[in-house]
Amino acid sequence: MTTSEVVEDSESRFSALLAGAASLPGVRISRAVYLKSALTRYCSEDDIRKAIDETPAAAGIPLEVLDRAANESIRYEAAKVSALSAAAGIPGLMFLPATVPADMAQYFGHMLRIAQKLAYLYSWPDLFSGDSDDLDDATKGMLTLFVGVMFGTQSANAGVGKVAGMLSKQAVKKLPKQALTKGFIYPIVKKVASYLGVEMTKQTFAKTVSKAIPIVGAVVSGGLALATYLPMAKRLKNHLSSLELTKPKDGIVDAEVVVVNVEFAAGDDTKQQPGPECAPLN
């Protein structure tokens, strides 16, 4: 197999995993419902409404408030992914062919969930378009870059930064599809996808080993999931919170507003009693 074939094969493996994880029930997050849930504890109804209609940055929500909400969501998703991974480790060696692929899919599904939540808190637009079950190329590219940041790839950091710069300068409510699918961001997406395909193979092997012994495998698998998921989610949080999009900005252009209707948000992680105003925390 030539080098180009190896690269293409690793890209396709990651793309298949990404598409499969994105299609799982509950993975797609409603931006409006999530922001309302996450910010209710800290902000007034007017602030929340403006955050949804425009962005949290345009609503003037302090970065430390967004950081607090982000940390709560990270803890919530990390606890869920650890518990599910531990449950998948209980059957042991006999059921490995079934449990490892399922565990990988749910693990990546929770990576996509936290990527969406953090993106929406830090003023990114809707990532999924309409009610279609298909994952469009622009969204696939953006999610690839977010996952790449979680894995610590510098090219993904650069790619996310470039997209954020475009969104900030143009003040629009949609992803730059041309740049992500055919333009100067696209080669970065392909490079990151290839790298992630290799990393996915390594993780599959590690998860297989961790699940080989019943019960003990559950403890190891759950602990491994938690130990890897938390720092990756925090890495993405730190990168997104440092970008220009988090700075207050007026004049958001209402271009191609996308509303995603999903039912998963009911009973989500950050529902609290409303606070009087959205102010810096003491």
Side-chain angles (χ1 to χ4, degrees):
M1 186 177 289
T2 65
T3 301
S4 61
E5 289 174 331
V6 171
V7 170
E8 187 172 330
D9 183 56
S10 61
E11 279 182 44
S12 64
R13 285 202 306 271
F14 176 76
S15 294
L17 176 61
L18 180 63
S23 68
L24 291 174
V27 167
R28 301 190 183 193
I29 302 295
S30 165
R31 177 181 175 275
V33 175
Y34 171 67
L35 285 177
K36 181 175 177 60
S37 173
L39 299 175
T40 294
R41 178 179 179 182
Y42 307 107
C43 301
S44 68
E45 288 295 326
D46 288 342
D47 288 329
I48 294 172
R49 190 177 303 110
K50 187 170 183 179
I52 293 170
D53 292 343
E54 298 181 35
T55 67
I61 298 176
L63 188 57
E64 60 180 300
V65 170
L66 300 178
D67 288 343
R68 178 73 65 88
N71 288 333
E72 289 176 352
S73 288
I74 289 173
R75 287 193 294 268
Y76 175 81
E77 295 295 334
K80 285 189 64 178
V81 77
S82 179
L84 290 170
S85 186
I90 292 175
L93 188 61
M94 184 181 300
F95 297 94
L96 282 180
T99 58
V100 171
D103 189 29
M104 282 294 295
Q106 70 85 15
Y107 184 87
F108 267 75
H110 281 279
M111 290 181 70
L112 299 185
R113 279 177 56 82
I114 196 59
Q116 292 170 81
K117 289 183 175 185
L118 294 176
Y120 298 151
L121 282 173
Y122 294 117
S123 296
W124 286 72
D126 273 309
L127 298 176
F128 289 96
S129 56
D131 297 322
S132 174
D133 291 333
D134 295 330
L135 189 65
D136 68 50
D137 290 338
T139 298
K140 186 185 297 183
M142 201 66 247
L143 289 174
T144 297
L145 293 178
F146 284 155
V147 174
V149 172
M150 297 175 82
F151 273 85
T153 63
Q154 291 303 312
S155 55
N157 283 1
V160 170
K162 289 179 184 296
V163 176
M166 295 175 67
L167 291 171
S168 180
K169 290 177 182 178
Q170 298 172 11
V172 297
K173 288 185 175 180
K174 62 179 182 179
L175 293 174
K177 293 185 178 182
Q178 184 74 15
L180 282 165
T181 58
K182 298 177 182 178
F184 69 100
I185 305 293
Y186 183 61
I188 301 176
V189 173
K190 288 178 64 67
K191 179 179 179 181
V192 172
S194 177
Y195 170 79
L196 292 174
V198 175
E199 289 301 302
M200 183 192 72
T201 302
K202 293 178 183 177
Q203 284 213 9
T204 301
F205 175 76
K207 287 179 178 292
T208 300
V209 173
S210 72
K211 289 178 170 60
I213 305 174
I215 308 302
V216 174
V219 175
V220 174
S221 180
L224 179 63
L226 185 63
T228 55
Y229 187 91
L230 270 177
M232 288 196 295
K234 290 180 179 178
R235 189 177 292 128
L236 180 60
K237 167 187 171 288
N238 292 338
H239 186 58
L240 294 182
S241 67
S242 70
L243 299 173
E244 188 67 23
L245 277 178
T246 62
K247 308 298 188 296
K249 188 178 295 291
D250 296 321
I252 302 299
V253 177
D254 189 8
E256 196 176 307
V257 179
V258 177
V259 178
V260 182
N261 295 314
V262 293
E263 298 179 356
F264 188 86
D268 210 342
D269 51 310
T270 51
K271 290 186 177 179
Q272 300 287 344
Q273 294 301 313
E277 60 178 317
C278 200
L281 304 171
N282 293 326

